[in-house]
């Protein structure tokens, strides 16, 4: 978002604060030569003190304030700007004098007319940013949020009949239709739990502030995916599952990711896989038992005291290495 040049605060109180500050500074400066010649202390208070005294008098004697005169002066300064004006100062001026002046005072009508003009400029400026940078509804909404902050705009317009950022909202509707088409195409290829969840999060982010049939389609996709995974736990390896342990272990991890570790089908598959693992371990132990017995016997003969003769010892060692190598 392009930064606007006017960054200082512009509202009625700041206008009068600046006016009093400048006046007091000028008066103090205009008497400086006389004070120096007479060698006396300054007869005018410092500008910050003058501002404080001015607002103190307003608080102590509110009945002496010329509200209508101040309002006209504020409006002429604020609304008279031809460039750099945002809606924030106009709203601040309206709120400052609402309740202090009659509701039908012409000042409020002037403020409303200027508000509509500036709000229209804001709509055009923000729309240009949306058209240039936004490809998704969420990006457009973020640009609009930043634009409202920069222009000092509230969510509720000052003029009820004026629709804030109407062109931007129309552009968001167009982006929503385009995003819905893209998401519908991606739904066909969302075949895992993570991809479906990611797509659902994107749908809520981009289309969540309105109705979309994609929510029902995503729910149906989740249900179909769960049913397919439950069927695969029962059919991919038979039941009870049989096969290589490495394949069963990979499958149980995949099913746990897709269905969740607490799913009954995953628990049943895990328990069946553990039973299959135990069965293979028993078969391996039975197949290796003769080899282990032969190796232990050779080790026992090599460990006899006194040691066997060298030739016999070498033969036993070669036989032990052969048994372990096989």
């Amino acid at each position: 978002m392009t930064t606007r040049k006017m960054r200082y605060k512009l509202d009625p109180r700041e206008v009068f604060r600046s006016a009093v500050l400048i006046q007091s500074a000028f008066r103090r400066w205009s008497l400086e030569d006389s004070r120096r010649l007479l060698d006396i202390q300054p007869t005018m208070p410092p500008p910050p003190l003058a501002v404080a005294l001015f607002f103190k008098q307003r608080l102590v004697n509110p009945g002496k304030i010329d509200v209508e005169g101040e309002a006209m002066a504020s409006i002429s300064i604020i609304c008279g700007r031809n460039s750099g004006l945002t809606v924030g100062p106009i709203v601040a001026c309206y709120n400052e004098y609402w309740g202090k002046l009659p509701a039908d005072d012409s000042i409020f009508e002037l403020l409303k007319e200027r508000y509509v003009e500036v709000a229209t400029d804001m709509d055009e400026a923000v729309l240009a940013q949306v058209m240039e940078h936004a490809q998704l509804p969420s990006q457009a909404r973020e640009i609009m949020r930043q634009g409202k902050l920069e222009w000092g705009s509230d969510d509720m317009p000052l003029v009820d009949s004026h629709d804030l950022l109407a062109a931007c909202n129309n552009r968001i509707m167009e982006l929503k239709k385009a995003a819905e088409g893209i998401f519908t195409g991606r739904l066909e290829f969302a075949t895992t739990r993570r991809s479906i969840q990611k797509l659902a999060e994107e749908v809520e982010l981009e289309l969540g502030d309105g109705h979309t049939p994609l929510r029902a389609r995503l729910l149906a996709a989740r249900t179909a995916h769960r049913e397919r995974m439950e069927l695969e736990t029962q059919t991919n390896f038979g039941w009870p599952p049989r096969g290589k342990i490495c394949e069963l272990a990979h499958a149980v991890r995949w099913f746990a990711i897709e269905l969740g570790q607490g799913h009954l089908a995953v628990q049943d598959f895990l328990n069946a896989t553990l039973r299959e693992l135990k069965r293979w371990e028993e078969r391996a132990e039975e197949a290796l038992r003769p080899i282990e017995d032969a190796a232990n016997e050779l080790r026992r003969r090599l460990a006899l005291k006194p040691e066997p003769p060298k030739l016999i010892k070498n033969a036993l060692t070669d036989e032990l290495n052969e048994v372990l190598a096989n």
Side-chain angles (χ1 to χ4, degrees), residues 37-236:
L37 291 174
L38 297 174
D39 193 20
I40 60 175
Q41 294 295 322
T43 58
M44 298 297 296
L49 179 58
V51 172
L53 292 173
F54 173 79
F55 282 100
K56 177 254 184 185
Q57 290 296 329
R58 290 171 60 91
L59 294 174
V60 173
N61 301 307
K64 295 182 179 181
I65 300 175
D66 182 9
V67 178
E68 187 171 1
E70 284 192 2
M72 289 302 299
S74 299
I75 292 175
S76 63
I77 294 175
I78 294 174
C79 297
R81 298 182 64 92
N82 294 323
S83 63
L85 180 62
T86 63
V87 297
I90 299 176
V91 175
C93 191
Y94 189 96
N95 295 332
E96 177 70 21
Y97 297 109
W98 182 257
K100 298 179 181 179
L101 294 174
D104 58 350
D105 196 291
S106 60
I107 287 177
F108 298 117
E109 292 302 321
L110 292 173
L111 286 171
K112 289 180 178 180
E113 290 178 6
R114 189 63 172 133
Y115 175 87
V116 172
E117 295 173 358
V118 176
T120 302
D121 294 340
M122 176 183 70
D123 197 355
E124 294 175 355
V126 177
L127 178 62
Q129 295 292 324
V130 170
M131 297 296 293
E132 181 178 359
H133 300 292
Q135 302 296 327
L136 294 170
S138 62
Q139 297 172 346
R141 286 193 292 267
E142 178 61 21
I143 292 174
M144 289 174 62
R145 187 187 69 83
Q146 293 291 342
K148 286 182 178 180
L149 289 176
E150 184 178 342
W151 284 77
S153 174
D154 296 328
D155 293 333
M156 296 301 296
L158 183 63
V159 180
D160 295 336
S161 60
H162 183 77
D163 188 7
L164 277 177
L165 300 177
C168 295
N169 289 325
N170 293 334
R171 177 57 181 169
I172 286 180
M173 295 304 298
E174 296 175 0
L175 292 175
K176 280 186 175 181
K177 292 180 181 178
E180 192 170 37
I182 294 173
F183 293 150
T184 301
R186 287 175 52 189
L187 183 59
E188 180 182 355
F189 302 98
T191 57
T192 64
R193 181 182 183 182
R194 180 175 297 177
S195 62
I196 294 175
Q197 180 62 30
K198 185 176 185 298
L199 182 58
E201 292 174 355
E202 293 184 29
V203 168
E204 289 301 320
L205 175 63
E206 305 298 342
L207 311 175
D209 58 344
H211 171 73
T212 173
L214 278 173
R215 289 195 181 96
R217 296 173 187 171
L218 284 167
L219 179 60
R222 285 195 185 96
T223 302
H225 170 263
R226 184 179 65 253
E227 293 175 350
R228 186 178 72 253
M229 288 292 103
E230 291 173 349
L231 180 62
E232 288 185 8
T233 59
Q234 302 289 328
T235 59
N236 281 10

